[in-house]
Amino acid sequence: RSINFVPTGGSAKLIVSDSFFDHNSNAGINIVTSAGATAAVALENVTSSSNAIGLNFSGGGKVTIRNSDFSQNGTGVVAKGVIDFRDSSSSGNNIGISAAGSLGKITLSNSRVFGNVSGLVKSGAAVIQSFGNNEIYGNTADGAFSSGPLPLK
């Protein structure tokens, strides 16, 4: 099973909890907003495994991820929009976390990115941020955050 959430106008909300998405030929969770649309998405206690992409988010709005796992995918998480990734993990993927495009921004806090071929991958103007309390290890290439840690407040 998978989720394909494609808002076409206005503000749309999606809440997913205690769910498992696996063995999809595309994304386990696909969120793409059209021009003029925004999405407010909350994922909690979600596992997305053995998919082409664990989570793909592209467009306006924000995805908040808590206590979730993205493992054994082609790419664990793709951010072409704003993602808040907390208390979660991305492991055993070809790419753990990918941020791309002008809207791509992912902030990690208290999370693990490990055992991937590439841990953190960013392209173009995309940003990968950290609060400095993450574990990035055991990847063939760990990658790097866009800048030093954000201050914990």
Side-chain angles (χ1 to χ4, degrees):
R1 297 180 189 243
S2 66
I3 290 178
N4 189 36
F5 186 59
V6 185
T8 57
S11 298
K13 293 183 181 183
L14 174 67
I15 298 171
V16 181
S17 62
D18 304 317
S19 299
F20 190 82
F21 305 94
D22 68 331
H23 293 93
N24 291 286
S25 59
N26 292 309
I29 304 166
N30 186 52
I31 303 159
V32 180
T33 63
S34 299
T38 61
V41 178
L43 305 176
E44 184 155 1
N45 296 322
V46 168
T47 297
S48 188
S49 177
S50 301
N51 303 293
I53 300 171
L55 165 68
N56 178 60
F57 175 48
S58 180
K62 182 177 181 180
V63 174
T64 302
I65 300 168
R66 301 277 187 278
N67 302 314
S68 296
D69 177 64
F70 301 86
S71 60
Q72 305 300 318
N73 299 290
T75 300
V77 176
V78 175
K80 294 179 186 172
V82 177
I83 296 178
D84 182 21
F85 192 86
R86 294 181 180 265
D87 303 309
S88 296
S89 64
S90 182
S91 64
N93 304 293
N94 288 326
I95 298 173
I97 302 286
S98 172
S102 60
L103 297 177
K105 179 179 177 184
I106 185 164
T107 304
L108 283 75
S109 179
N110 201 36
S111 293
R112 297 172 67 195
V113 179
F114 66 98
N116 301 288
V117 175
S118 297
L120 306 175
V121 176
K122 58 187 177 297
S123 63
V127 175
I128 301 176
Q129 301 181 124
S130 170
F131 281 100
N133 56 353
N134 300 290
E135 299 174 33
I136 312 298
Y137 66 94
N139 303 290
T140 304
D142 286 338
F145 291 104
S146 299
S147 61
L150 299 169
L152 292 170
K153 296 179 183 178

